[in-house]
Amino acid sequence: MRWEEMTSPEIGALDRAATVVILPLGSVEQHGNHMPLGTDTLLAQAVSLAAAETAGDTIVMPPPWYGFSAHHMRFPGSTTLRPETLIAVVEDVIASVVTHGFRRILIVNGHGGNNGVIDVLASTLGHTHYGAARIAALTYFALAREAIAKLRKSETGGMGHACEFETSMVQHLRPELVKIDLAETTYPDPGSRYLTTDLLGAQAIRLYHDFGDLSPTGTLGDPALASPEAGKAFFDAVTSELATFIANFRFWTIPERRP
């Protein structure tokens, strides 16, 4: 399932018609006082690998780790790529995959700050490789929005960043990385009924929000409600949703390029 652990002949032997290739995306940025900087990438990769195992005929590429995190740069350790840099990296990786004959490629994003970038990538890559490959992009927690909503304990605003959801997931996967005694709860005021900081919220308005203006610690939400048990439930739910999508995506028609 791991692209980087396979040999060149093993990659060459994969069924190009059936195999789905996943590229996880995330970030390296602050996650409050209690969570590791690599949370978003760690989770995107873990969810992708688990879903790939369930779906079968799916291979997961190594993530590039960094994302668009300009809104976190007031906090030490945060690292950001320019949007055009991230787009260029993903374009080059996907072009390599298409060159090797793979026809179904899925970008699995785990960082809200990348949402605008993956929207652009889905369109530009789809156009560039039209007729050769079908390329889709999604944010895994948006795909599993309804399943997560059924499991959450927090009120609106309790899931945002280093919150009930993310803290629980990392407690389940990598508990040694979570310093839960340092966690602080923040229900930020986004300043308008048209805006939301909730992970499951949807807003039509696009604007820049610096996390330093929203929370003194960078946490948005309620990590006090997190637990490893909740993390397993969240992880199983999002993995199931992604595996179901992969199984469906495998049979999507690839349009023929016409002159």
Side-chain angles (χ1 to χ4, degrees), residues 13-172:
L14 293 173
D15 184 347
R16 300 306 195 264
T19 301
V20 174
V21 178
I22 294 179
L23 177 65
L25 292 184
S27 67
V28 176
E29 64 187 29
Q30 69 82 20
H31 272 74
N33 294 334
H34 64 291
M35 294 274 282
L37 294 165
T39 290
D40 290 343
T41 308
L42 185 157
L43 292 179
Q45 184 181 39
V47 168
S48 296
L49 287 167
E53 184 174 9
T54 299
D57 289 326
T58 304
I59 185 167
V60 180
M61 301 194 75
W65 278 94
Y66 303 101
F68 177 64
S69 301
H71 45 304
H72 292 277
M73 291 302 292
R74 281 163 63 178
F75 296 90
S78 299
T79 306
T80 188
L81 298 179
R82 290 171 293 166
E84 57 268 33
T85 303
L86 180 56
I87 288 170
V89 168
V90 175
E91 285 178 338
D92 287 353
V93 171
I94 298 301
S96 299
V97 174
V98 175
T99 295
H100 294 307
F102 291 96
R103 309 201 71 198
R104 289 177 176 81
I105 303 162
L106 177 61
I107 297 169
V108 174
N109 175 49
H111 170 47
N114 290 340
N115 284 339
V117 173
I118 69 167
D119 284 347
V120 172
L121 283 166
S123 296
T124 57
L125 289 169
H127 174 71
T128 299
H129 301 292
Y130 186 84
R134 200 74 187 264
I135 300 165
L138 60 86
T139 298
Y140 75 84
F141 48 80
L143 179 71
R145 187 188 310 270
E146 293 182 5
I148 296 171
K150 292 177 181 178
L151 295 170
R152 74 181 298 172
K153 297 177 182 177
S154 61
E155 301 174 4
T156 300
M159 283 187 175
H161 186 73
C163 55
E164 173 192 1
F165 176 72
E166 288 187 322
T167 302
S168 293
M169 291 265 280
V170 180
Q171 282 181 319
H172 166 58

Side-chain angles (χ1 to χ4, degrees), residues 51 235-245:
F235 186 76
D236 290 347
V238 298
T239 297
S240 176
E241 291 287 344
L242 182 56
T244 299
F245 175 77

Side-chain angles (χ1 to χ4, degrees), residues 4-16:
E4 74 275 15
E5 294 182 357
M6 298 179 72
T7 65
S8 179
E10 287 172 336
I11 294 289
L14 293 173
D15 184 347
R16 300 306 195 264

